[in-house]
Amino acid sequence: QVQLVESGGGSVQAGGSLRLSCAASGYSFSNYAMAWFRQVSGKDREGVAAIGSDGDTSYADSVKGRFTISRDNAKNTLYLQMNSLKPEDTAMYYCAADLAIGMTAIQALGADPYYGMDYWGKGILVTISS
């Protein structure tokens, strides 16, 4: 049974940093692309960052240069380091996995934000105050 469990969310002031983690289990983590999505209340979910099985990465323009996605295959864990946080980064953040062989980071980032990935975490809240 595939499980994705996010942690590391919380509240910080603008300009601060947070690191989200996503612990994955129930499948061969290292073989597949992973991604982070986020959703502001009342708005559509959007892709934030993605990473392929080969380590290639892709980012939304809104977070380029501020967020870094990484993975530790030995720990079956996905990370999102978020720096220079802005109030507009406030959202629920979701970890997602797709078990399609060969999916690239660009493809994962551009996946349908509700149905385009095979598995989703429950989400974790990030709140940035001004």
Side-chain angles (χ1 to χ4, degrees):
Q1 180 181 0
V2 174
Q3 285 193 315
L4 301 173
V5 180
E6 301 97 338
S7 61
S11 299
V12 296
Q13 289 191 324
S17 298
L18 281 173
R19 188 176 80 158
L20 303 183
S21 298
C22 173
S25 60
Y27 71 106
S28 297
F29 176 81
S30 63
N31 290 344
Y32 303 106
M34 299 287 296
W36 289 97
F37 290 77
R38 68 184 181 186
Q39 187 168 18
V40 177
S41 180
K43 296 188 177 181
D44 285 335
R45 191 178 296 176
E46 62 177 359
V48 175
I51 186 167
S53 60
D54 60 357
D56 67 314
T57 58
S58 186
Y59 296 92
D61 287 344
S62 59
V63 306
K64 278 182 182 176
R66 299 189 299 121
F67 290 12
T68 302
I69 189 171
S70 62
R71 63 193 301 161
D72 185 335
N73 291 334
K75 296 182 178 180
N76 289 351
T77 302
L78 178 72
Y79 300 102
L80 185 68
Q81 178 66 44
M82 305 185 294
N83 299 329
S84 302
L85 284 160
K86 304 175 181 180
E88 51 263 43
D89 294 319
T90 294
M92 283 291 288
Y93 283 73
Y94 298 89
C95 169
D98 195 279
L99 272 56
I101 297 293
M103 175 176 270
T104 66
I106 291 177
Q107 290 171 330
L109 186 67
D112 183 283
Y114 297 96
Y115 306 108
M117 302 292 280
D118 292 329
Y119 296 97
W120 297 84
K122 293 183 178 181
I124 194 161
L125 183 62
V126 170
T127 303
I128 312 302
S129 58
S130 57

mmCIF file with all atom_site columns, all heavy atoms in Angstrom, residues 102-120:
data_model
loop_
_atom_site.group_PDB
_atom_site.id
_atom_site.type_symbol
_atom_site.label_atom_id
_atom_site.label_alt_id
_atom_site.label_comp_id
_atom_site.label_asym_id
_atom_site.label_entity_id
_atom_site.label_seq_id
_atom_site.pdbx_PDB_ins_code
_atom_site.Cartn_x
_atom_site.Cartn_y
_atom_site.Cartn_z
_atom_site.occupancy
_atom_site.B_iso_or_equiv
_atom_site.pdbx_formal_charge
_atom_site.auth_seq_id
_atom_site.auth_comp_id
_atom_site.auth_asym_id
_atom_site.auth_atom_id
_atom_site.pdbx_PDB_model_num
ATOM 1   N N   . GLY A 1 102 ? 9.793   6.273  -16.374 1.00 0.00 ? 102 GLY A N   1
ATOM 2   C CA  . GLY A 1 102 ? 10.383  7.274  -17.241 1.00 0.00 ? 102 GLY A CA  1
ATOM 3   C C   . GLY A 1 102 ? 9.765   8.651  -17.190 1.00 0.00 ? 102 GLY A C   1
ATOM 4   O O   . GLY A 1 102 ? 10.125  9.528  -17.967 1.00 0.00 ? 102 GLY A O   1
ATOM 5   N N   . MET A 1 103 ? 8.830   8.875  -16.273 1.00 0.00 ? 103 MET A N   1
ATOM 6   C CA  . MET A 1 103 ? 8.244   10.221 -16.185 1.00 0.00 ? 103 MET A CA  1
ATOM 7   C C   . MET A 1 103 ? 9.330   11.218 -15.802 1.00 0.00 ? 103 MET A C   1
ATOM 8   O O   . MET A 1 103 ? 10.085  10.999 -14.856 1.00 0.00 ? 103 MET A O   1
ATOM 9   C CB  . MET A 1 103 ? 7.108   10.265 -15.164 1.00 0.00 ? 103 MET A CB  1
ATOM 10  C CG  . MET A 1 103 ? 6.549   11.669 -14.956 1.00 0.00 ? 103 MET A CG  1
ATOM 11  S SD  . MET A 1 103 ? 5.127   11.773 -13.857 1.00 0.00 ? 103 MET A SD  1
ATOM 12  C CE  . MET A 1 103 ? 3.781   11.580 -15.012 1.00 0.00 ? 103 MET A CE  1
ATOM 13  N N   . THR A 1 104 ? 9.400   12.318 -16.528 1.00 0.00 ? 104 THR A N   1
ATOM 14  C CA  . THR A 1 104 ? 10.411  13.327 -16.244 1.00 0.00 ? 104 THR A CA  1
ATOM 15  C C   . THR A 1 104 ? 9.873   14.341 -15.244 1.00 0.00 ? 104 THR A C   1
ATOM 16  O O   . THR A 1 104 ? 8.672   14.412 -14.979 1.00 0.00 ? 104 THR A O   1
ATOM 17  C CB  . THR A 1 104 ? 10.816  14.061 -17.518 1.00 0.00 ? 104 THR A CB  1
ATOM 18  O OG1 . THR A 1 104 ? 9.682   14.810 -17.998 1.00 0.00 ? 104 THR A OG1 1
ATOM 19  C CG2 . THR A 1 104 ? 11.267  13.095 -18.603 1.00 0.00 ? 104 THR A CG2 1
ATOM 20  N N   . ALA A 1 105 ? 10.778  15.150 -14.731 1.00 0.00 ? 105 ALA A N   1
ATOM 21  C CA  . ALA A 1 105 ? 10.377  16.191 -13.795 1.00 0.00 ? 105 ALA A CA  1
ATOM 22  C C   . ALA A 1 105 ? 9.430   17.187 -14.462 1.00 0.00 ? 105 ALA A C   1
ATOM 23  O O   . ALA A 1 105 ? 8.447   17.618 -13.864 1.00 0.00 ? 105 ALA A O   1
ATOM 24  C CB  . ALA A 1 105 ? 11.608  16.915 -13.262 1.00 0.00 ? 105 ALA A CB  1
ATOM 25  N N   . ILE A 1 106 ? 9.705   17.532 -15.694 1.00 0.00 ? 106 ILE A N   1
ATOM 26  C CA  . ILE A 1 106 ? 8.841   18.481 -16.402 1.00 0.00 ? 106 ILE A CA  1
ATOM 27  C C   . ILE A 1 106 ? 7.439   17.902 -16.548 1.00 0.00 ? 106 ILE A C   1
ATOM 28  O O   . ILE A 1 106 ? 6.436   18.600 -16.378 1.00 0.00 ? 106 ILE A O   1
ATOM 29  C CB  . ILE A 1 106 ? 9.432   18.841 -17.770 1.00 0.00 ? 106 ILE A CB  1
ATOM 30  C CG1 . ILE A 1 106 ? 10.697  19.679 -17.598 1.00 0.00 ? 106 ILE A CG1 1
ATOM 31  C CG2 . ILE A 1 106 ? 8.422   19.577 -18.633 1.00 0.00 ? 106 ILE A CG2 1
ATOM 32  C CD1 . ILE A 1 106 ? 11.402  20.016 -18.891 1.00 0.00 ? 106 ILE A CD1 1
ATOM 33  N N   . GLN A 1 107 ? 7.361   16.635 -16.880 1.00 0.00 ? 107 GLN A N   1
ATOM 34  C CA  . GLN A 1 107 ? 6.051   15.993 -17.023 1.00 0.00 ? 107 GLN A CA  1
ATOM 35  C C   . GLN A 1 107 ? 5.314   15.943 -15.692 1.00 0.00 ? 107 GLN A C   1
ATOM 36  O O   . GLN A 1 107 ? 4.098   16.182 -15.624 1.00 0.00 ? 107 GLN A O   1
ATOM 37  C CB  . GLN A 1 107 ? 6.220   14.588 -17.590 1.00 0.00 ? 107 GLN A CB  1
ATOM 38  C CG  . GLN A 1 107 ? 6.656   14.553 -19.041 1.00 0.00 ? 107 GLN A CG  1
ATOM 39  C CD  . GLN A 1 107 ? 7.020   13.166 -19.509 1.00 0.00 ? 107 GLN A CD  1
ATOM 40  O OE1 . GLN A 1 107 ? 7.481   12.312 -18.741 1.00 0.00 ? 107 GLN A OE1 1
ATOM 41  N NE2 . GLN A 1 107 ? 6.824   12.908 -20.803 1.00 0.00 ? 107 GLN A NE2 1
ATOM 42  N N   . ALA A 1 108 ? 6.040   15.647 -14.620 1.00 0.00 ? 108 ALA A N   1
ATOM 43  C CA  . ALA A 1 108 ? 5.408   15.578 -13.303 1.00 0.00 ? 108 ALA A CA  1
ATOM 44  C C   . ALA A 1 108 ? 4.901   16.955 -12.880 1.00 0.00 ? 108 ALA A C   1
ATOM 45  O O   . ALA A 1 108 ? 3.798   17.092 -12.350 1.00 0.00 ? 108 ALA A O   1
ATOM 46  C CB  . ALA A 1 108 ? 6.395   15.028 -12.280 1.00 0.00 ? 108 ALA A CB  1
ATOM 47  N N   . LEU A 1 109 ? 5.687   17.985 -13.132 1.00 0.00 ? 109 LEU A N   1
ATOM 48  C CA  . LEU A 1 109 ? 5.286   19.339 -12.752 1.00 0.00 ? 109 LEU A CA  1
ATOM 49  C C   . LEU A 1 109 ? 4.046   19.777 -13.522 1.00 0.00 ? 109 LEU A C   1
ATOM 50  O O   . LEU A 1 109 ? 3.192   20.484 -13.007 1.00 0.00 ? 109 LEU A O   1
ATOM 51  C CB  . LEU A 1 109 ? 6.424   20.318 -12.988 1.00 0.00 ? 109 LEU A CB  1
ATOM 52  C CG  . LEU A 1 109 ? 6.178   21.745 -12.496 1.00 0.00 ? 109 LEU A CG  1
ATOM 53  C CD1 . LEU A 1 109 ? 6.092   21.786 -10.974 1.00 0.00 ? 109 LEU A CD1 1
ATOM 54  C CD2 . LEU A 1 109 ? 7.269   22.686 -12.982 1.00 0.00 ? 109 LEU A CD2 1
ATOM 55  N N   . GLY A 1 110 ? 3.965   19.334 -14.775 1.00 0.00 ? 110 GLY A N   1
ATOM 56  C CA  . GLY A 1 110 ? 2.845   19.724 -15.617 1.00 0.00 ? 110 GLY A CA  1
ATOM 57  C C   . GLY A 1 110 ? 1.649   18.800 -15.548 1.00 0.00 ? 110 GLY A C   1
ATOM 58  O O   . GLY A 1 110 ? 0.668   19.002 -16.273 1.00 0.00 ? 110 GLY A O   1
ATOM 59  N N   . ALA A 1 111 ? 1.704   17.806 -14.679 1.00 0.00 ? 111 ALA A N   1
ATOM 60  C CA  . ALA A 1 111 ? 0.593   16.864 -14.549 1.00 0.00 ? 111 ALA A CA  1
ATOM 61  C C   . ALA A 1 111 ? -0.660  17.573 -14.045 1.00 0.00 ? 111 ALA A C   1
ATOM 62  O O   . ALA A 1 111 ? -0.586  18.595 -13.369 1.00 0.00 ? 111 ALA A O   1
ATOM 63  C CB  . ALA A 1 111 ? 0.978   15.740 -13.604 1.00 0.00 ? 111 ALA A CB  1
ATOM 64  N N   . ASP A 1 112 ? -1.796  17.013 -14.418 1.00 0.00 ? 112 ASP A N   1
ATOM 65  C CA  . ASP A 1 112 ? -3.051  17.559 -13.886 1.00 0.00 ? 112 ASP A CA  1
ATOM 66  C C   . ASP A 1 112 ? -2.952  17.622 -12.364 1.00 0.00 ? 112 ASP A C   1
ATOM 67  O O   . ASP A 1 112 ? -2.628  16.629 -11.728 1.00 0.00 ? 112 ASP A O   1
ATOM 68  C CB  . ASP A 1 112 ? -4.216  16.666 -14.304 1.00 0.00 ? 112 ASP A CB  1
ATOM 69  C CG  . ASP A 1 112 ? -5.546  17.220 -13.848 1.00 0.00 ? 112 ASP A CG  1
ATOM 70  O OD1 . ASP A 1 112 ? -5.882  17.090 -12.648 1.00 0.00 ? 112 ASP A OD1 1
ATOM 71  O OD2 . ASP A 1 112 ? -6.255  17.787 -14.685 1.00 0.00 ? 112 ASP A OD2 1
ATOM 72  N N   . PRO A 1 113 ? -3.207  18.784 -11.776 1.00 0.00 ? 113 PRO A N   1
ATOM 73  C CA  . PRO A 1 113 ? -2.950  18.953 -10.340 1.00 0.00 ? 113 PRO A CA  1
ATOM 74  C C   . PRO A 1 113 ? -3.916  18.206 -9.422  1.00 0.00 ? 113 PRO A C   1
ATOM 75  O O   . PRO A 1 113 ? -3.732  18.226 -8.212  1.00 0.00 ? 113 PRO A O   1
ATOM 76  C CB  . PRO A 1 113 ? -3.079  20.461 -10.151 1.00 0.00 ? 113 PRO A CB  1
ATOM 77  C CG  . PRO A 1 113 ? -3.971  20.906 -11.245 1.00 0.00 ? 113 PRO A CG  1
ATOM 78  C CD  . PRO A 1 113 ? -3.652  20.027 -12.414 1.00 0.00 ? 113 PRO A CD  1
ATOM 79  N N   . TYR A 1 114 ? -4.895  17.547 -9.991  1.00 0.00 ? 114 TYR A N   1
ATOM 80  C CA  . TYR A 1 114 ? -5.811  16.759 -9.163  1.00 0.00 ? 114 TYR A CA  1
ATOM 81  C C   . TYR A 1 114 ? -5.754  15.277 -9.512  1.00 0.00 ? 114 TYR A C   1
ATOM 82  O O   . TYR A 1 114 ? -5.857  14.430 -8.632  1.00 0.00 ? 114 TYR A O   1
ATOM 83  C CB  . TYR A 1 114 ? -7.248  17.260 -9.341  1.00 0.00 ? 114 TYR A CB  1
ATOM 84  C CG  . TYR A 1 114 ? -7.429  18.683 -8.884  1.00 0.00 ? 114 TYR A CG  1
ATOM 85  C CD1 . TYR A 1 114 ? -7.358  19.734 -9.794  1.00 0.00 ? 114 TYR A CD1 1
ATOM 86  C CD2 . TYR A 1 114 ? -7.642  18.981 -7.540  1.00 0.00 ? 114 TYR A CD2 1
ATOM 87  C CE1 . TYR A 1 114 ? -7.503  21.049 -9.369  1.00 0.00 ? 114 TYR A CE1 1
ATOM 88  C CE2 . TYR A 1 114 ? -7.790  20.298 -7.111  1.00 0.00 ? 114 TYR A CE2 1
ATOM 89  C CZ  . TYR A 1 114 ? -7.712  21.318 -8.044  1.00 0.00 ? 114 TYR A CZ  1
ATOM 90  O OH  . TYR A 1 114 ? -7.847  22.615 -7.623  1.00 0.00 ? 114 TYR A OH  1
ATOM 91  N N   . TYR A 1 115 ? -5.590  14.949 -10.804 1.00 0.00 ? 115 TYR A N   1
ATOM 92  C CA  . TYR A 1 115 ? -5.671  13.557 -11.229 1.00 0.00 ? 115 TYR A CA  1
ATOM 93  C C   . TYR A 1 115 ? -4.431  13.061 -11.962 1.00 0.00 ? 115 TYR A C   1
ATOM 94  O O   . TYR A 1 115 ? -4.376  11.918 -12.383 1.00 0.00 ? 115 TYR A O   1
ATOM 95  C CB  . TYR A 1 115 ? -6.900  13.376 -12.140 1.00 0.00 ? 115 TYR A CB  1
ATOM 96  C CG  . TYR A 1 115 ? -8.181  13.865 -11.508 1.00 0.00 ? 115 TYR A CG  1
ATOM 97  C CD1 . TYR A 1 115 ? -8.796  15.033 -11.945 1.00 0.00 ? 115 TYR A CD1 1
ATOM 98  C CD2 . TYR A 1 115 ? -8.752  13.166 -10.444 1.00 0.00 ? 115 TYR A CD2 1
ATOM 99  C CE1 . TYR A 1 115 ? -9.966  15.485 -11.350 1.00 0.00 ? 115 TYR A CE1 1
ATOM 100 C CE2 . TYR A 1 115 ? -9.923  13.620 -9.858  1.00 0.00 ? 115 TYR A CE2 1
ATOM 101 C CZ  . TYR A 1 115 ? -10.516 14.779 -10.309 1.00 0.00 ? 115 TYR A CZ  1
ATOM 102 O OH  . TYR A 1 115 ? -11.664 15.227 -9.723  1.00 0.00 ? 115 TYR A OH  1
ATOM 103 N N   . GLY A 1 116 ? -3.452  13.923 -12.126 1.00 0.00 ? 116 GLY A N   1
ATOM 104 C CA  . GLY A 1 116 ? -2.322  13.581 -12.969 1.00 0.00 ? 116 GLY A CA  1
ATOM 105 C C   . GLY A 1 116 ? -1.248  12.742 -12.320 1.00 0.00 ? 116 GLY A C   1
ATOM 106 O O   . GLY A 1 116 ? -0.369  12.246 -13.015 1.00 0.00 ? 116 GLY A O   1
ATOM 107 N N   . MET A 1 117 ? -1.284  12.604 -11.027 1.00 0.00 ? 117 MET A N   1
ATOM 108 C CA  . MET A 1 117 ? -0.314  11.782 -10.313 1.00 0.00 ? 117 MET A CA  1
ATOM 109 C C   . MET A 1 117 ? -1.058  10.609 -9.669  1.00 0.00 ? 117 MET A C   1
ATOM 110 O O   . MET A 1 117 ? -2.235  10.708 -9.343  1.00 0.00 ? 117 MET A O   1
ATOM 111 C CB  . MET A 1 117 ? 0.395   12.607 -9.234  1.00 0.00 ? 117 MET A CB  1
ATOM 112 C CG  . MET A 1 117 ? 1.122   13.837 -9.766  1.00 0.00 ? 117 MET A CG  1
ATOM 113 S SD  . MET A 1 117 ? 2.567   13.471 -10.785 1.00 0.00 ? 117 MET A SD  1
ATOM 114 C CE  . MET A 1 117 ? 3.782   13.125 -9.500  1.00 0.00 ? 117 MET A CE  1
ATOM 115 N N   . ASP A 1 118 ? -0.357  9.497  -9.493  1.00 0.00 ? 118 ASP A N   1
ATOM 116 C CA  . ASP A 1 118 ? -1.019  8.285  -9.009  1.00 0.00 ? 118 ASP A CA  1
ATOM 117 C C   . ASP A 1 118 ? -1.359  8.338  -7.520  1.00 0.00 ? 118 ASP A C   1
ATOM 118 O O   . ASP A 1 118 ? -2.370  7.773  -7.089  1.00 0.00 ? 118 ASP A O   1
ATOM 119 C CB  . ASP A 1 118 ? -0.136  7.067  -9.276  1.00 0.00 ? 118 ASP A CB  1
ATOM 120 C CG  . ASP A 1 118 ? -0.013  6.756  -10.759 1.00 0.00 ? 118 ASP A CG  1
ATOM 121 O OD1 . ASP A 1 118 ? -0.972  7.031  -11.513 1.00 0.00 ? 118 ASP A OD1 1
ATOM 122 O OD2 . ASP A 1 118 ? 1.048   6.251  -11.174 1.00 0.00 ? 118 ASP A OD2 1
ATOM 123 N N   . TYR A 1 119 ? -0.496  8.965  -6.741  1.00 0.00 ? 119 TYR A N   1
ATOM 124 C CA  . TYR A 1 119 ? -0.703  8.957  -5.295  1.00 0.00 ? 119 TYR A CA  1
ATOM 125 C C   . TYR A 1 119 ? -0.424  10.342 -4.722  1.00 0.00 ? 119 TYR A C   1
ATOM 126 O O   . TYR A 1 119 ? 0.475   11.058 -5.188  1.00 0.00 ? 119 TYR A O   1
ATOM 127 C CB  . TYR A 1 119 ? 0.221   7.924  -4.620  1.00 0.00 ? 119 TYR A CB  1
ATOM 128 C CG  . TYR A 1 119 ? -0.085  6.511  -5.039  1.00 0.00 ? 119 TYR A CG  1
ATOM 129 C CD1 . TYR A 1 119 ? 0.648   5.900  -6.054  1.00 0.00 ? 119 TYR A CD1 1
ATOM 130 C CD2 . TYR A 1 119 ? -1.117  5.793  -4.443  1.00 0.00 ? 119 TYR A CD2 1
ATOM 131 C CE1 . TYR A 1 119 ? 0.357   4.606  -6.457  1.00 0.00 ? 119 TYR A CE1 1
ATOM 132 C CE2 . TYR A 1 119 ? -1.415  4.501  -4.844  1.00 0.00 ? 119 TYR A CE2 1
ATOM 133 C CZ  . TYR A 1 119 ? -0.673  3.920  -5.858  1.00 0.00 ? 119 TYR A CZ  1
ATOM 134 O OH  . TYR A 1 119 ? -0.962  2.630  -6.255  1.00 0.00 ? 119 TYR A OH  1
ATOM 135 N N   . TRP A 1 120 ? -1.204  10.678 -3.689  1.00 0.00 ? 120 TRP A N   1
ATOM 136 C CA  . TRP A 1 120 ? -1.104  11.992 -3.052  1.00 0.00 ? 120 TRP A CA  1
ATOM 137 C C   . TRP A 1 120 ? -1.037  11.836 -1.541  1.00 0.00 ? 120 TRP A C   1
ATOM 138 O O   . TRP A 1 120 ? -1.678  10.943 -0.966  1.00 0.00 ? 120 TRP A O   1
ATOM 139 C CB  . TRP A 1 120 ? -2.336  12.829 -3.391  1.00 0.00 ? 120 TRP A CB  1
ATOM 140 C CG  . TRP A 1 120 ? -2.477  13.127 -4.847  1.00 0.00 ? 120 TRP A CG  1
ATOM 141 C CD1 . TRP A 1 120 ? -3.044  12.321 -5.790  1.00 0.00 ? 120 TRP A CD1 1
ATOM 142 C CD2 . TRP A 1 120 ? -2.041  14.293 -5.524  1.00 0.00 ? 120 TRP A CD2 1
ATOM 143 N NE1 . TRP A 1 120 ? -2.986  12.925 -7.024  1.00 0.00 ? 120 TRP A NE1 1
ATOM 144 C CE2 . TRP A 1 120 ? -2.377  14.147 -6.888  1.00 0.00 ? 120 TRP A CE2 1
ATOM 145 C CE3 . TRP A 1 120 ? -1.405  15.468 -5.131  1.00 0.00 ? 120 TRP A CE3 1
ATOM 146 C CZ2 . TRP A 1 120 ? -2.086  15.118 -7.842  1.00 0.00 ? 120 TRP A CZ2 1
ATOM 147 C CZ3 . TRP A 1 120 ? -1.126  16.438 -6.086  1.00 0.00 ? 120 TRP A CZ3 1
ATOM 148 C CH2 . TRP A 1 120 ? -1.463  16.257 -7.426  1.00 0.00 ? 120 TRP A CH2 1
#
